[in-house]
Amino acid sequence: MLSSIAAGVSDRSAKVRERRVWGVVAVVGLCVTTACSSVSAAAPASSHADGSHPASRPATSPARSGSVTTALPTRPAATPTASATVASVPAPQVSVSEVRTADGSIVTVATFRGPVRYVLHNGSVDPGPAAAGLVRAGPAVTGTERRRLLAAFNGGFKLGVGAGGYEQEGHVISPLDGGFASLVIDRSGRARIGVWGDGLPTPGEAVYSVRQNLQLLVEHGRPTAAAGDWGLWGATLGGGGYVARSALGQDASGDLLYAASMSTTPADLAYALARSGARIAMELDINPEWVQLDTARRPGGALMAAVPGQNRPADQYLVGWTRDFITVLAASAGPQAPSPPVNPRPRP
């Protein structure tokens, strides 16, 4: 009987020890679970110095009790490609439009945009021999210049009539006079229009070629008062106000605009240029034999006569011409400085 009692006590003691062991295990498990949850909840989310979260990290739900979360590494920001960081360069082009004036004249306006450069050419007769042995750009467009050619247009009056001076490639063929409207081309081929001796040229400006002709036709974006008196703008064929005329302007961004018609007045040219955005402008040559604009759809492409009714064929400047003229070329490859802004003389 004593042995039976001893066996029962031993059995109960074993069950008590077993319950205690399981209790300890439960407590330990609870501590481990609590500890894991506390570490996960207490760890701050990675953020930038300004307190913002990286955009590349996805949002996460709160960690469940007993689980361990691992922070995902921040993905580095994408590096812009070269095509995204380099600004696109506009293609050189000639834009041709027509402006109808109040008196019914139709004026052709050509705007030269993009990276273009200008070259003043000597004519075989005027300036002719006086410049022939000194300058490279002669009566015909050839070689590399032909392959870059976008347009060509007439110059100014004959040098002997006293309408202004002429300088080409650093050689003064006819003295430059103060107060005359002037097209100035620098050594890079950029061009601008202004009044010689009145802010033009600027100190240190690399003047390469200059074509002067009469006075300003447009100033400060408006036709000048003189534009209304056609008798001030050269002797016309037949002695009338309506005759073939041409002019050259410049807009606020520095682009040049050529305007011409086979029958118009100085006032009409001034109106058409101002309406097309010219801030300043000068008259070029007049009368049917001399007014000419030829343009191409692409550099080096076939030339087309752009002024309706013009006398000369589209290839006249390619085979050679007797008078000075200006070519418009697509700029050569490489970084190009922008055209200088228009800065006409201030009003008195």
Side-chain angles (χ1 to χ4, degrees), residues 195 198-200 216 219-220 280 343-348:
V195 176
D198 194 352
L200 188 71
L216 290 181
E219 188 174 15
H220 299 287
I280 191 169
N343 186 25
R345 58 182 176 178
R347 291 187 177 276

Side-chain angles (χ1 to χ4, degrees), residues 141-300:
V141 179
T142 60
T144 302
E145 186 179 17
R146 174 66 185 95
R147 293 189 290 273
R148 295 167 53 196
L149 186 65
L150 275 171
F153 56 87
N154 57 273
F157 289 4
K158 287 184 176 181
L159 298 183
V161 302
Y166 184 100
E167 178 179 352
Q168 185 178 340
E169 299 170 20
H171 302 281
V172 177
I173 309 303
S174 179
L176 302 175
D177 296 321
F180 280 83
S182 304
L183 169 67
V184 177
I185 302 173
D186 68 17
R187 291 187 177 275
S188 73
R190 296 179 300 171
R192 67 189 183 108
I193 297 171
V195 176
W196 193 260
D198 194 352
L200 188 71
T202 57
E205 186 172 358
V207 174
Y208 193 53
S209 298
V210 181
R211 192 32 163 127
Q212 296 185 322
N213 207 64
L214 300 177
Q215 55 190 305
L216 290 181
L217 191 65
V218 173
E219 188 174 15
H220 299 287
R222 297 192 298 272
T224 61
D229 184 354
W230 64 265
L232 299 175
W233 300 93
T236 61
L237 186 66
Y242 287 87
V243 72
R245 298 180 184 272
S246 63
L248 189 66
Q250 187 173 25
D251 64 20
S253 63
D255 294 330
L256 295 191
L257 304 86
Y258 173 93
S261 173
M262 300 311 289
S263 179
T264 194
T265 64
D268 287 340
L269 285 181
Y271 168 80
L273 283 168
R275 180 178 175 181
S276 299
R279 300 293 301 166
I280 191 169
M282 59 188 288
E283 188 181 57
L284 295 179
D285 217 345
I286 65 174
N287 292 321
E289 186 72 6
W290 315 119
V291 174
Q292 180 178 353
L293 169 66
D294 305 316
T295 63
R297 294 184 182 276
R298 58 176 178 80

Side-chain angles (χ1 to χ4, degrees), residues 298-319:
R298 58 176 178 80
L303 292 173
M304 299 171 290
V307 181
Q310 70 180 44
N311 284 12
R312 311 309 307 174
D315 66 347
Q316 185 66 73
Y317 295 131
L318 303 182
V319 299

